[in-house]
Amino acid sequence: MKSLQTLGRKAWIKAAATVMAASLTLGAGSALAAGGALHAHEPKEGFSSSGVLGTYDQAQLQRGYKVYREVCAACHSMKLISFRNLGEKDGPFYDPKYKNPNENPVVKQIASEFEVPTIDSETGDVITRKATTSDAFPSPFANPEAAAASNGGAVPPDLSVITKARHGGASYVYSLLTGYKAPPAGLKIAEGQHYNPYFPGDLSSAWSGDHKHVPAGGVLAMAPPLSAGQVTFDDGRESTLSNQAADVAAFLEWAGEPKAVLRKKTGVAVLAYLLLFFGLTYASYRMVWRGKH
Amino acid sequence: MSDHPSTYVPKTGFEKWLDSRLPIVRLAYDSFVDYPTPKNLNYWWTFGGILSVCLAIQIITGIILAMHYTPHVDYAFNSVERIMRDVNYGWLIRYVHANGASMFFFAVYIHMLRGLYYGSYKAPREVLWILGCIIFFLMIATAFMGYVLPWGQMSFHGAVVITNLIGSIPLIGGPILTWLQGGFAVDQATLNRFFSLHYLLPFVIAGVVILHIWALHVAGQNNPAGVEIKSKEDTVAFTPYATVKDGVAIIVFLFLFSVFVFFMPNALGHADNYIPANPLVTPAHIVPEWYLLPFYAILRAIPDKFGGVIAMFGSIAVIFALPWLDTSKVKSMRYRPVMRWFFVIFVIVCLGLGWCGAQLPDAQVIPGLPSFTLFDGQLNSYLWLTRLFTIYYFVFFLLIMPWIGLKEEPLPVPASISEAVLAEHNKKKG
């Protein structure tokens, strides 16, 4: 053991430093190795909700809702969202005049445009009635089997929490919607499938080119859903592909995390309180321990 | 300390009346007010208090969540989202509970490493240490079952992978697996019993925590110098000295906790767990929560499934045996110049195992580096890096601990805590 000790402190420090340097290199290595898909990015103007103090842009949420309603809702359900949610604080149609979203005329109007199934209490038959603000968004298909049958075998995922269920969140949704492009030569795409460099997947089996340079991304059953001019915005915003994608991504971000603004505001207050409390406690600590150290 | 005489004097008539019937105020006074603590305790010693706060937070938020959660395969996922949306401050309660688990493990790992560095497991604190190990093991079980409850993709497939480990036990594994899962697959029965046990175990933990604190108060606290309390000069009263220091640390800890809860509540989780469980679709990459990754890495390091299970449980079992694996006469690694460096490497290896647990075993560690196949995998792969780390993990406990303890020449140990404090004071003054 003497030899170990005479080896000395320096040698040990060196050994430890080498291990640490090695582990850092490993970190960098795997970050490069990962990435079957391109890294998701925000729209150029960013998302108003990102950052510590970011809030939702209500006009954008309204436009996003329109994109969802006119395009996405044809195939994708949003079972966890009710009409009343649209009129809640920080929501797309919140109006300070109507603290109770069920009284919000815009929300009531939107709900009344839908029919939902119910049971006739007299006869027991399945009938439909006008939706109310407390109803969840009706789903486009009766069940997953029907959804698969209409979509080439793939069930369109529910969009209620899609931004939380995908790496990259709203940026991923934006990148995917704007990222469709023609597959590079040498990539075989099956019928009913579409290439997207942002969709996570492994294309090596469909790739006939250089095996060291398999294209990023994957294939999905959803055809490019948005195109310029597809949705007319009521506030005059130009209906480009990027604008539609950014707006619907913002709307889905809100839908997934409707309490995010309240959460961040509460967080600022909590941290401020803890900071104050820390100062007080630390001062007490210094006072109590004076002369004891 | 057991030989510390009670100094509690009941003042009011009611206190006198109660003290002769149930001396509970006396117990609290002797344990948390007048209890003598070594005066040289540093901030690493505040994690015991931090962990009590963690347990209290988890139990309180957990009880409220259980009021709103539905343990059913068809409703569990939606009921969790409903808590986030429709229960008053449900988002706060649920995010505190989910991130609280991570915070709990973060604190417990520091608490355990502190014990390891300062030799807090050595006589007369062996039982104290073992009780701590039992708490840690119960925490793992509780956290695993809690992660299954939201019934997302990671919940479900994680539960499948981990329960199936039991099935790898020869002969009796199959029947035990069926008994544990409550059927032939992870399904409604599994979810329901995991909910029941997830509610039960925290109270078992709380019970063992009481024993842990009892054992602590019998043996007395260890301290950075690793020498026992010799006189009153060596100690200060628990209140106000330790309470105010714990208070400072708890507030700093809550600050970190709040940053996660309010500004990045999903950063420590996996996006796939926001996809409802689907037995027919397996996620590309099944990983446990970060705090279990080192054990997951050890599990995958062994080519044989049952061997992996033994290694994984062995990696926890070996911690129980620590008091008898360390042969050194000196407690604190402050005075153990050689062992200290093996400890540093051990910490790095544990972090390394955690890193490896999150990677695909076949992935290259250093991309593009030429490599060759060794037995069943490329040398330049996480598989072999994990094996290297796993070997060190066990060698550290089973060989280095006993061997270095016998061979190492420790530095001179201070005669008492007061002397250690004085020496440090003079050093600071220069």
Side-chain angles (χ1 to χ4, degrees), chain A residues 1-2 5 19 26 30 52 80-81 84 161 164-165 255 257 259 263 267 271 274 278 281 288-289 292, chain B residues 78 81 85-86 91 95 241 251-252 258 262-263 265 271 274-275 338 348 355 359 365 382 385 407 409:
Chain A
M1 203 63 234
K2 202 75 189 156
Q5 262 171 297
V19 173
L26 307 186
S30 74
V52 172
L80 298 174
I81 317 296
R84 66 183 161 83
V161 289
K164 289 195 285 189
E257 211 44 20
K259 304 289 161 81
R263 166 161 59 75
L271 292 189
L274 284 175
F278 171 79
T281 315
V288 165
W289 277 84
K292 283 281 178 186
Chain B
N78 288 356
E81 271 302 318
R85 290 157 192 273
D86 290 338
W91 56 269
Y95 276 151
Y241 297 99
I251 294 168
V252 173
S258 304
F262 293 104
F263 300 105
Y274 277 108
I275 304 171
V338 179
I348 295 167
W355 180 262
Q359 309 301 321
V365 178
Y382 280 99
L385 185 70
K407 295 286 178 183
E409 270 182 45

Side-chain angles (χ1 to χ4, degrees), chain B residues 358-371:
Chain B
Q359 309 301 321
L360 291 168
D362 294 336
Q364 288 193 323
V365 178
I366 301 165
L369 190 78
S371 167

